[in-house]
Amino acid sequence: RSKLLFGLPMGSGAVKTKRIGIPKALTAHSLFPLYSTFFAALGMEVVLSDIDPRGELKSNAGFCFPAQIAHGAVLDLVQRGVELIFLPHVMRMPAREAWKESYLCPITQASPYFLAKAYPQIHLLSPLLDFSDGYAASSALVEMAVNELGQTRGFAERQWTAAVQAQTEAESEVQKLGQAALAEAIAANKPAIILAGHSYNAFTPEGSQSVGKKLSSMGVAAIPADCLMPEGAGPTSWHFANQVMNAVNVVKQHPNLFLLCVSNFSCTIDAFTQSMLASELGSKPYLILEIDAHTADAGVQTRLEAFLDIVRNFRVGQSSHADRFNP
């Protein structure tokens, strides 16, 4: 998944005229192929950030952990001398057909505004992006390329078409990997984990304490929820909440699949989602990990081990129950 989303495409034959930094935070974990392909095709050198842990000291407010990480991502680019940084206001993601809506959370949407205050020395490119009708229907990045980067409209439109294709292909490949992993897990009939949450916390090492790798090292398959095909309606107005509930629908259908949801302290949207998933899953075990900058690695490992013990005991109990009624 990471290789598909964070490969760095470069423009074919283009002259590199300027560096542009992309913080490895927030929407970049879902949309990096779109962003990087577009800017590289315009002839710019794309610089993907690391995370400077000192960034949280620049936040000066009680932001959630992903927003603190975003401060660290921008700080890394500042320390590397990158003066032009792309951090868009993404309002909505592409909505699946049965979903009610696809908004991103208010903190993610507001990130370019509070990060501009934290780092006044940088030049931010922060267009308003609404992908609710699909990537191709949005013209905001083309307008930005024309008005702020001095590109001709025809050239910018062609590069936007290439960027949309790169994003669509990456998403398609991710879903193919997910469907193959899901089919393999169901066929094996061993406990497997559907890993759900926001892409910038559940699927990143800095945001999740690498829970996916931890589970794999323990011999348990972990399938990211953004790799799954839609199963039923998305009942909320929020993009990632609908992904979580989609994972719940998948888990409910298969006795050997279990949900692990990564969240962060002070996430209001997740508070509502967690009450919904608890109601939907009933007696089936699930784990919610709330992680912040002070979460200990050993504590996460212990909770994963305890959760897997609960899952195994639940499976034994279900098997014994089935034997009693099927002599």
Side-chain angles (χ1 to χ4, degrees), residues 60-80:
N60 295 318
F63 287 114
C64 61
F65 190 34
Q68 293 177 11
I69 290 172
H71 282 80
V74 174
L75 178 59
D76 176 74
L77 293 170
V78 170
Q79 300 280 35
R80 291 158 68 177

Side-chain angles (χ1 to χ4, degrees), residues 20-39:
I20 185 164
I22 298 180
K24 192 170 70 172
L26 302 175
T27 61
H29 288 284
S30 297
L31 298 173
F32 186 74
L34 186 76
Y35 299 161
S36 62
T37 302
F38 183 64
F39 287 113

Side-chain angles (χ1 to χ4, degrees), residues 29-101:
H29 288 284
S30 297
L31 298 173
F32 186 74
L34 186 76
Y35 299 161
S36 62
T37 302
F38 183 64
F39 287 113
L42 292 180
M44 306 181 77
E45 179 187 355
V46 176
V47 181
L48 178 64
S49 80
D50 289 322
I51 310 297
D52 191 319
R54 297 170 297 174
E56 66 176 280
L57 300 176
K58 296 285 290 182
S59 60
N60 295 318
F63 287 114
C64 61
F65 190 34
Q68 293 177 11
I69 290 172
H71 282 80
V74 174
L75 178 59
D76 176 74
L77 293 170
V78 170
Q79 300 280 35
R80 291 158 68 177
V82 180
E83 297 177 353
L84 182 64
I85 295 176
F86 178 68
L87 190 65
H89 174 171
V90 183
M91 182 187 299
R92 292 187 288 189
M93 296 288 282
R96 290 175 172 174
E97 186 174 342
W99 282 13
K100 180 179 179 180
E101 259 295 358

